[in-house]
Amino acid sequence: MSTLQPVIIPSIPVPLQWQGVPSNWSLDANNLLSISAGQKTDWFLDPGSDFRILNAPALLGSVQGVSTLKARVKPEFAATFDAGVLVVYQSEDYWAKLCFELSPQKQMMIVSVVTKGTSDDCNSIPVTAPSVYLRLSVLERAYAFHYSLDGSFWSLVRYFNLGQRSNLQIGFLSQSPTGEGCTSTFSEIAFDPHQLSDVRSGV
């Protein structure tokens, strides 16, 4: 765990704690959060081998019930798998991340990873815009990931469960698994302590 001090983002009702140490970070007067990940940083538990890595810097806050976290995410892409991420975390073996990521084909893509002992990695759709809106929803018994190009109409990426829920945290992560580092910015950060009405409706 990091020894960095908690971070207060006014739109989020709980203090955020660092898990992993960023190479740099900032929060400006407009609540634009910037997280720089160092080289060879990632969260991934390979389903085909014993490879495990959980060293990417994440800024996480504890939540007790249903809620939604969303942000406009803009990574500075340089190397394959560089990404800006929203993450839900229960333990080292049970977590999930919603990524705006650079693919091996050099496409910017929406990617989700659901981890229950090992990671289930899924590329969803290419995106041509330099930034996207990502949304993470904590439901009564499950979670939902969405993305949006305009912040208004949302497309479902993943609807999933991580098993028995305890010590739940949600937040932000930046990663650079194959590169020398990646800075991701998170703007228009919003938290809503209400149940998402319909995971497939687009709202």
Side-chain angles (χ1 to χ4, degrees), residues 155-189:
S155 297
L156 180 65
V157 177
R158 203 82 175 253
Y159 177 47
F160 61 96
N161 189 290
L162 290 176
Q164 185 175 354
R165 184 180 293 173
S166 62
N167 302 314
L168 173 61
Q169 299 177 78
I170 60 175
F172 313 90
L173 180 148
S174 189
Q175 67 180 46
S176 186
T178 67
E180 297 304 307
C182 176
T183 297
S184 301
T185 57
F186 304 86
S187 60
E188 301 177 48
I189 296 169

Side-chain angles (χ1 to χ4, degrees), residues 13-191:
V14 296
L16 306 177
Q17 303 277 352
W18 287 103
Q19 179 162 315
V21 179
S23 60
N24 197 12
W25 75 277
S26 64
L27 180 67
D28 71 13
N30 296 314
N31 295 315
L32 185 149
L33 173 66
S34 174
I35 302 175
S36 297
Q39 61 181 352
K40 308 299 187 288
T41 49
D42 196 6
W43 282 15
F44 194 66
L45 310 186
D46 195 321
S49 74
D50 294 328
F51 177 77
R52 294 168 59 96
I53 186 169
L54 289 163
N55 64 348
L59 187 60
L60 306 175
S62 297
V63 293
Q64 302 300 320
V66 298
S67 55
T68 296
L69 177 66
K70 61 183 177 181
R72 188 175 186 175
V73 182
K74 185 177 182 181
E76 296 179 3
F77 294 119
T80 300
F81 307 131
D82 281 2
V85 182
L86 294 188
V87 61
V88 52
Y89 180 87
Q90 294 183 184
S91 71
E92 288 189 354
D93 292 313
Y94 291 86
W95 50 266
K97 58 184 183 178
L98 175 61
C99 313
F100 185 33
E101 182 174 298
L102 187 65
S103 78
Q105 293 75 33
K106 303 307 178 185
Q107 291 180 300
M108 298 179 293
M109 297 196 73
I110 304 299
V111 176
S112 61
V113 181
V114 174
T115 299
K116 304 177 187 179
T118 60
S119 296
D120 180 340
D121 194 353
C122 180
N123 287 6
S124 292
I125 189 169
V127 175
T128 58
S131 65
V132 297
Y133 293 86
L134 300 181
R135 186 175 73 182
L136 180 166
S137 296
V138 180
L139 310 175
E140 289 184 354
R141 298 179 59 184
Y143 303 98
F145 284 162
H146 294 82
Y147 84 96
S148 173
L149 298 180
D150 61 8
S152 297
F153 185 84
W154 296 88
S155 297
L156 180 65
V157 177
R158 203 82 175 253
Y159 177 47
F160 61 96
N161 189 290
L162 290 176
Q164 185 175 354
R165 184 180 293 173
S166 62
N167 302 314
L168 173 61
Q169 299 177 78
I170 60 175
F172 313 90
L173 180 148
S174 189
Q175 67 180 46
S176 186
T178 67
E180 297 304 307
C182 176
T183 297
S184 301
T185 57
F186 304 86
S187 60
E188 301 177 48
I189 296 169
F191 179 91

